[in-house]
Amino acid sequence: MKIINISNRLPISLQKDNKPAIKISSGGLVSAVQSLSGSKSALHWVGVADFTIDEWLSICPSYSGDFILHPVFIDENLYKLYYNGFSNSVLWPLFHYFPSFVEYKKNEFEAYLGVNRLLAHKIKDIIEPDDIVWIHDYHMIPLVTYLRDLFPEIKIGFFLHVPFPSYELIRILPKNCRDILAGSLLGADLIGFHTYDYVQHFVTTVQMITGIQHKNFKLNYNGRKIHIDAFPISIDFEKFNNAYNKPEVFAERTKIKKLYAGKKILFSVDRLDYTKGIKYRLQGYAHFLENNPGWMEKIVFILIAVPSRDNIAKYEERKEIIEKLIAHINGKYGNYRWAPIVYQYGSVNFDQLSGLYTSCDVALISPIRDGMNLVAKEFIASRQDKRGVLLLSDMTGAAKELTESLLFNPLDEEEICIKITHALKMTDQEQEIRMDRMQKQIKRNNVFNWSNNFIEKMKSISHNSSTPIDFDETGRRSMLNKYTQAEKCLIILDYDGTIKPLQPSPEMAAPDDQLYELLAELTHNTKNTVCIISGRDKKTLETWFNNTKATLVAEHGIFAKTDRWNKLVIDNVPWKAEVQKIMNKFSENCANTFVEEKSASLCWHYRMAAPEASLAQSRELINLLSDFLISSNANILDGHKVVEVKPVQASKGNALKMLFDFQQYDCCICIGDDKTDEDMFEVINECGGYTIKVSEGHTFAKHRFNDVPEVLSFLHELSEINQ
Ligand code: GDG
């Protein structure tokens, strides 16, 4: 088994001077993936090359590292459109809640898809059946589905390193673009995010766009279960902690302390990116200087900004804004002996970084949005001396874990000023207590646990990609044989769309004589137990099937009739009147939609309405109801052209479990067409029965009939056996 890691760039740089060599990057992700080699899996890494084929061919024979590298060579212009264009001028700003920075261009989106296709093509030659593929980040979303199409059986994991925003942001994108993005990730078996709010945003987005609802953060799609979970990334704790005693780091620390002797040191390091909140950080610091003249010449802010994506206009602009502001603050508050801000536009090496982490008094980290933020964790881990204070924006993923830091809102300069003051006054004892707690947290959840947890989760996912198969003659025969030999058979039939074609309005779908006759024949055979299980109310089922000897289940499992009607779940629905008011409003606003009232549930039907407008309205309704019903016992079903609210315990699967002892039957046949039939398919699959989905769509069912006539013809065949 191989682990194939895929990221935008390979984790290497090519040393092209007189002694050409491949240098492996030293980032946390690299060590995390490297550590997986302990699991005896060969580690492959695929990424876009930032060197030429000739350079690669001349250097690669001398390489013998931990990874088997697969550079993908992409035309420079195409790469620009994909990377600077769609990836970093649409997805990056949008996912970080900067919608006004989004610059969508169709050709860039096409380039984005094109590069992903090229990557899939490359990976195609590497993959073997039991491999695990791990795809990283927003550049590679379509790749998930391209690989799934090529390899239905392979295990695919995806991890997003940036925030996943609310659906309200995603819906800004053109329709085909957002459909592709949401749909593509459904090719994965495991989708990981840093935090639970990103998980939550993702499942809501999937439901809003595709109508697929999660159950305990698992999605059922094309016969596969997709697991969605939070895996907060971390760092190599020991590497940063042990660096404290490295002679080079000691020397760097001593130099810095000497240079700024008698002054408190504030420190920050990040890529120069508008999401990192550098401008607001500076304004907060200026506010502090303005309000604390006593600190003049007694404090210095070392600000390292690392060049990043500087050929994108927004980044250039940001650099100018920041540099002007630094000049302004230094001019306003500084003098010929002292500059309040020491600024470096350029990176530092690891020892210098450790020297800065361990010599500063306060780390000031203020992103406006950040998926996680590793700098915060690195600062904490570096402080073997357990001194220093972390000031951290509450808009970072890291803020959810580093709760002993001083958290602040990154746009609030007054709060930044207050928190700087608090940090400067914090006693050594308090610093030590806070540091100790955060260090324990990071040590426990280090980057090796992160990668290991992700891969172990991948391994544990049983991969059942069997899409339902249409019955061919042999399959059909084998099922009929099984039925013929059975002594007791349970036949479970959904009603609308299964044994009766869907009609524009519910009352038009009453059974006809032929259907009554068919049901009479099936129920007449003593070996059969027939169950009609529907979302319909019990009054309708009673009227239609009063003279039929079938078990009836109404309202998706709330009521059942064997000899007489029984309630299977409590139908306490205090929310009903209010939900009805809301649904009525939606009916008034959206022509040709209507509300159906049942005893314990309500449905808003939009089958006869204008498709696009009513679909948009249905999304609004679900959004509204989700908030309205948040602490109630209600469940919202996003069905086929219907939104239904029902008690949470009511499900067809639960009802079947309550009504039947499956052991008693040697043949079980379950047919349905709707999302509400999925949980009964799961139940019947478990007991080894036949599950059959009618028509298109994702399903847990093992087989498929194309339409209602096919179901009826099959049932006719059954009715003629053993008569
Ligand atoms: C993305 C997400 C998420 C920076 N300057 C220097 C330097 N660095 C290193 C830091 C740290 C890394 O770069 C930056 O990581 P962050 O997490 O802070 O931010 P992004 O680059 O935006 O990363 C982020 C991350 O992915 C992981 O999933 O946390 O939310 O945006 O390791 O140390 N290292 C050295 N010199 C520098 O000048 N040596």
Side-chain angles (χ1 to χ4, degrees):
M1 180 199 82
K2 305 197 284 292
I3 295 176
I4 304 176
N5 209 57
I6 307 162
S7 60
N8 177 50
R9 288 291 190 199
L10 286 168
I12 55 162
S13 56
L14 251 54
Q15 213 167 280
K16 299 170 195 167
D17 49 21
N18 46 1
K19 214 179 150 213
I22 290 175
K23 241 185 102 196
I24 294 283
S25 319
S26 59
L29 179 62
V30 178
S31 343
V33 177
Q34 242 159 358
S35 74
L36 298 171
S37 62
S39 63
K40 302 270 175 290
S41 314
L43 301 175
H44 289 238
W45 202 309
V46 182
V48 181
D50 55 354
F51 38 79
T52 65
I53 296 185
D54 290 342
E55 284 168 339
W56 174 248
L57 292 177
S58 68
I59 291 181
C60 73
S62 62
Y63 168 74
S64 62
D66 287 340
F67 304 116
I68 299 165
L69 300 168
H70 304 273
V72 182
F73 296 91
I74 286 171
D75 170 79
E76 211 176 306
N77 279 331
L78 181 68
Y79 183 80
K80 264 192 204 145
L81 296 171
Y82 142 87
Y83 184 78
N84 288 345
F86 190 75
S87 297
N88 285 314
S89 298
V90 176
L91 293 182
W92 177 269
L94 194 68
F95 281 19
H96 286 86
Y97 293 76
F98 281 78
S100 61
F101 282 30
V102 169
E103 286 182 27
Y104 176 82
K105 293 188 186 121
K106 194 164 170 263
N107 65 327
E108 292 180 345
F109 181 53
E110 278 159 7
Y112 175 75
L113 299 180
V115 169
N116 274 268
R117 250 183 252 116
L118 287 171
L119 283 156
H121 186 71
K122 172 81 186 180
I123 298 159
K124 194 172 77 178
D125 304 332
I126 307 166
I127 289 186
E128 288 168 294
D130 64 342
D131 290 346
I132 289 182
V133 175
W134 191 4
I135 302 172
H136 293 266
D137 232 356
Y138 60 102
H139 320 83
M140 309 267 155
I141 293 172
L143 178 61
V144 176
T145 211
Y146 294 153
L147 286 181
R148 173 61 65 218
D149 290 347
L150 290 168
F151 300 96
E153 303 294 332
I154 209 88
K155 280 190 181 178
I156 303 178
F158 177 86
F159 187 80
L160 188 72
H161 289 258
V162 297
F164 194 91
S166 147
Y167 166 66
E168 284 307 307
L169 271 285
I170 300 286
R171 64 186 284 215
I172 290 170
L173 292 169
K175 189 174 175 316
N176 77 316
C177 171
R178 76 176 119 101
D179 288 355
I180 290 177
L181 291 177
S184 291
L185 285 182
L186 302 184
D189 299 294
L190 175 62
I191 307 174
F193 299 92
H194 288 305
T195 66
Y196 285 109
D197 47 350
Y198 309 155
V199 167
Q200 185 71 51
H201 290 155
F202 176 70
V203 293
T204 308
T205 297
V206 169
Q207 180 183 347
M208 289 303 183
I209 294 176
T210 67
I212 302 170
Q213 281 177 300
H214 76 99
K215 203 165 151 193
N216 304 329
F217 298 110
K218 288 178 199 80
L219 297 166
N220 160 30
Y221 181 72
N222 270 352
R224 279 181 299 111
K225 259 213 169 86
I226 304 165
H227 299 245
I228 300 145
D229 210 344
F231 296 86
I233 200 170
S234 194
I235 56 159
D236 179 350
F237 178 87
E238 303 301 338
K239 177 179 163 190
F240 283 91
N241 200 252
N242 294 338
Y244 193 87
N245 295 321
K246 261 180 92 179
E248 297 84 348
V249 174
F250 176 79
E252 199 61 45
R253 186 163 58 240
T254 313
K255 246 194 281 174
I256 298 166
K257 287 205 160 168
K258 197 169 156 207
L259 200 58
Y260 303 108
K263 294 183 181 60
K264 290 283 183 186
I265 302 172
L266 256 67
F267 173 59
S268 75
V269 56
D270 10 43
R271 287 183 303 97
L272 202 155
D273 193 300
Y274 48 83
T275 63
K276 299 290 181 186
I278 302 175
K279 181 180 126 194
Y280 296 100
R281 183 184 312 167
L282 289 168
Q283 284 171 344
Y285 179 57
H287 195 73
F288 167 82
L289 294 174
E290 183 69 32
N291 289 285
N292 294 279
W295 276 100
M296 297 295 160
E297 300 194 36
K298 291 183 192 144
I299 191 162
V300 63
F301 184 3
I302 305 177
L303 190 143
I304 310 278
V306 180
S308 174
R309 305 170 197 164
D310 43 11
N311 38 14
I312 298 178
K314 282 280 178 265
Y315 285 76
E316 259 179 80
E317 266 170 37
R318 187 64 25 174
K319 179 168 180 275
E320 263 181 54
I321 294 172
I322 287 165
E323 292 184 350
K324 266 194 194 145
L325 191 55
I326 291 172
H328 171 75
I329 295 170
N330 277 348
K332 184 167 177 192
Y333 301 101
N335 56 43
Y336 68 91
R337 293 177 308 272
W338 168 68
I341 301 164
V342 173
Y343 168 62
Q344 173 173 322
Y345 179 62
S347 58
V348 288
N349 65 30
F350 177 76
D351 294 339
Q352 291 167 330
L353 184 67
S354 289
L356 285 159
Y357 279 150
T358 54
S359 57
C360 70
D361 298 282
V362 178
L364 178 50
I365 299 168
S366 60
I368 297 167
R369 288 278 168 176
D370 213 338
M372 174 53 71
N373 192 287
L374 296 180
V375 169
K377 292 188 173 181
E378 289 168 5
F379 166 67
I380 298 292
S382 302
R383 298 310 294 241
Q384 210 188 77
D385 59 345
K386 298 202 196 284
R387 289 291 178 279
V389 182
L390 173 63
L391 257 64
L392 180 61
S393 155
D394 58 10
M395 303 307 284
T396 59
K400 304 231 175 335
E401 295 171 82
L402 304 178
T403 50
E404 293 290 332
S405 60
L406 299 186
L407 296 174
F408 60 89
N409 178 294
L411 302 187
D412 187 345
E413 57 184 49
E414 216 160 277
E415 199 186 1
I416 297 180
C417 164
I418 292 168
K419 292 290 155 81
I420 294 176
T421 317
H422 181 172
L424 293 172
K425 283 189 188 152
M426 194 182 282
T427 62
D428 286 357
Q429 196 192 10
E430 186 177 345
Q431 289 178 31
E432 192 163 329
I433 293 170
R434 288 174 182 265
M435 271 291 169
D436 190 57
R437 288 192 187 142
M438 290 191 281
Q439 287 186 349
K440 284 194 176 116
Q441 206 285 338
I442 299 172
K443 197 172 173 173
R444 218 176 21 245
N445 304 305
N446 62 27
V447 75
F448 305 111
N449 289 337
W450 171 77
S451 54
N452 195 50
N453 289 345
F454 193 91
I455 291 296
E456 284 308 311
K457 178 80 192 184
M458 288 282 295
K459 287 182 184 164
S460 74
I461 292 172
S462 67
H463 196 267
N464 176 9
S465 72
S466 58
T467 37
I469 5 173
D470 293 349
F471 276 118
D472 58 7
E473 204 33 49
T474 330
R476 204 180 159 95
R477 280 288 133 230
S478 121
M479 182 161 61
L480 290 171
N481 273 345
K482 171 100 181 179
Y483 172 79
T484 312
Q485 281 154 21
E487 281 177 19
K488 285 194 88 186
C489 181
L490 178 60
I491 302 170
I492 302 156
L493 304 169
D494 165 54
Y495 184 72
D496 294 274
T498 298
I499 53 175
K500 185 78 194 174
L502 293 171
Q503 302 293 329
S505 72
E507 61 285 355
M508 288 165 75
D512 51 25
D513 289 346
Q514 285 159 330
L515 184 55
Y516 282 131
E517 220 171 282
L518 172 64
L519 290 170
E521 277 166 18
L522 284 171
T523 49
H524 181 70
N525 187 337
T526 48
K527 81 177 200 172
N528 289 341
T529 302
V530 177
C531 172
I532 298 172
I533 185 161
S534 165
R536 296 272 184 172
D537 61 13
K538 62 178 197 273
K539 203 170 134 216
T540 309
L541 293 189
E542 179 67 31
T543 317
W544 286 350
F545 300 110
N546 192 22
N547 295 322
T548 308
K549 279 196 303 177
T551 301
L552 303 178
V553 179
E555 297 195 28
H556 300 122
I558 296 176
F559 302 99
K561 182 189 176 190
T562 37
D563 301 329
R564 58 189 177 81
W565 283 101
N566 282 310
K567 215 182 279 175
L568 296 181
V569 298
I570 312 155
D571 63 342
N572 174 20
V573 284
W575 38 262
K576 203 174 159 198
E578 285 304 315
V579 169
Q580 190 154 24
K581 268 193 220 159
I582 295 173
M583 286 186 169
N584 283 341
K585 278 227 169 71
F586 274 72
S587 296
E588 283 162 25
N589 290 346
C590 191
N592 297 324
T593 66
F594 65 95
V595 180
E596 182 191 0
E597 187 189 354
K598 303 177 192 174
S599 52
S601 54
L602 285 162
C603 300
W604 183 72
H605 292 270
Y606 58 99
R607 185 168 298 144
M608 293 179 297
E612 276 198 19
S614 63
L615 181 68
Q617 286 291 304
S618 72
R619 306 301 88 188
E620 294 270 343
L621 176 60
I622 288 171
N623 231 347
L624 179 62
L625 290 175
S626 310
D627 283 345
F628 181 74
L629 296 166
I630 201 145
S631 50
S632 69
N633 71 339
N635 203 358
I636 304 164
L637 258 171
D638 189 3
H640 181 59
K641 307 269 182 192
V642 59
V643 176
E644 175 154 11
V645 179
K646 63 181 181 64
V648 77
Q649 312 89 330
S651 84
K652 289 184 176 180
N654 281 346
L656 291 180
K657 279 199 240 170
M658 279 188 242
L659 288 168
F660 302 109
D661 173 6
F662 301 115
Q663 305 289 342
Q664 287 188 8
Y665 300 92
D666 14 47
C667 177
C668 217
I669 297 169
C670 175
I671 315 179
D673 76 312
D674 198 350
K675 280 182 196 162
T676 59
D677 300 321
E678 289 300 314
D679 56 14
M680 69 176 187
F681 289 150
E682 281 190 273
V683 169
I684 301 303
N685 281 342
E686 263 170 43
C687 74
Y690 290 97
T691 47
I692 309 159
K693 158 107 177 161
V694 185
S695 79
E696 290 294 289
H698 321 300
T699 182
F700 279 127
K702 302 273 185 208
H703 301 279
R704 199 187 292 282
F705 281 142
N706 290 315
D707 49 25
V708 175
E710 211 175 317
V711 179
L712 295 178
S713 116
F714 167 75
L715 292 176
H716 271 294
E717 270 189 79
L718 287 192
S719 71
E720 282 158 13
I721 297 172
N722 303 137
Q723 282 290 20

